[in-house]
Amino acid sequence: MKKIRICGVGSVLLGDDAVGPYMARWIAANYEFGEGVEVEDLGTPGLDLIAYMTGIDLLILIDSVANREAAGTVTVYDKAAITRQRPAVRLDPHSPCITESIFIAELAGDGPEDVYLIGITGEKLEVGAPLSESVRKAIPLAVDRVLGRVALHGGSYRKREVPRDPDIWWEQATMRVSA
């Protein structure tokens, strides 16, 4: 049985950068996964991301990206594309740590065989801003890409008959601040 970890990364304080945590919580609330599949909101990891990469076969990261595409574009980066980026070049605010974490986990001999970054091109990254409409519209496609990678690598999932509350607490805080 493969061990698969789906991780949303990003700052809930910076508008579209919150799409990773938002999606991780939404996916966990709306889908049940088979044995060996975990979903986590990691916030803004640094090199502590290594701890989430070890002992698994597949890592799927979800994050906002700055890649010169139109806002709301969903792009899937595989491990080769991620590691081709020098640590100083940024796909997103966390890229240097993602790339370095992959290299360190591989050096330790315990890194995942496969890594994907499901990137959603951000539009608004201002403090206190909600997710932009273009990023919100991209979420269903991004969820489809995440679930497709889970299935491609032998993981199982099904839609919950009764979804749980995704506890996206920062949306309520953002609405209070902007009102």
Side-chain angles (χ1 to χ4, degrees):
M1 169 192 58
K2 286 198 171 186
K3 291 185 180 180
I4 300 171
R5 189 165 289 142
I6 302 164
C7 298
V9 296
S11 172
V12 301
L13 304 175
L14 296 176
D16 289 339
D17 196 41
V19 73
Y22 182 102
M23 285 185 54
R25 288 167 180 256
W26 190 90
I27 289 169
N30 286 276
Y31 290 89
E32 295 176 339
F33 291 90
E35 189 176 343
V37 182
E38 299 174 352
V39 183
E40 298 190 49
D41 166 7
L42 300 185
T44 54
L47 288 176
D48 57 324
L49 180 58
I50 298 165
Y52 296 95
M53 290 186 170
T54 58
I56 61 172
D57 301 296
L58 170 64
L59 175 65
I60 302 170
L61 297 166
I62 310 163
D63 198 4
S64 173
V65 295
N67 60 0
R68 297 188 179 116
E69 298 293 333
T73 300
V74 176
T75 307
V76 179
Y77 300 94
D78 63 11
K79 187 178 187 179
I82 296 166
T83 57
R84 248 193 319 269
Q85 301 295 320
R86 298 185 198 281
V89 176
R90 304 185 106 166
L91 291 172
D92 58 74
H94 319 286
S95 287
C97 290
I98 291 171
T99 303
E100 290 171 0
S101 295
I102 291 170
F103 289 143
I104 293 168
E106 284 184 348
L107 280 172
D110 201 19
E113 182 177 330
D114 295 294
V115 178
Y116 295 101
L117 169 61
I118 310 300
I120 300 93
T121 307
E123 180 179 346
K124 295 181 181 180
L125 298 172
E126 293 88 27
V127 173
L131 290 179
S132 66
E133 193 58 32
S134 57
V135 167
R136 283 186 188 279
K137 288 180 179 177
I139 289 173
L141 177 59
V143 168
D144 183 60
R145 296 297 183 259
V146 170
L147 298 176
R149 293 304 177 281
V150 169
L152 178 68
H153 291 274
S156 64
Y157 64 90
R158 68 176 187 191
K159 195 153 180 67
R160 290 183 188 276
E161 288 184 30
V162 178
R164 299 184 312 198
D165 176 10
D167 189 26
I168 301 171
W169 57 268
W170 61 90
E171 283 212 321
Q172 297 304 316
T174 300
M175 290 198 294
R176 282 192 299 269
V177 170
S178 59

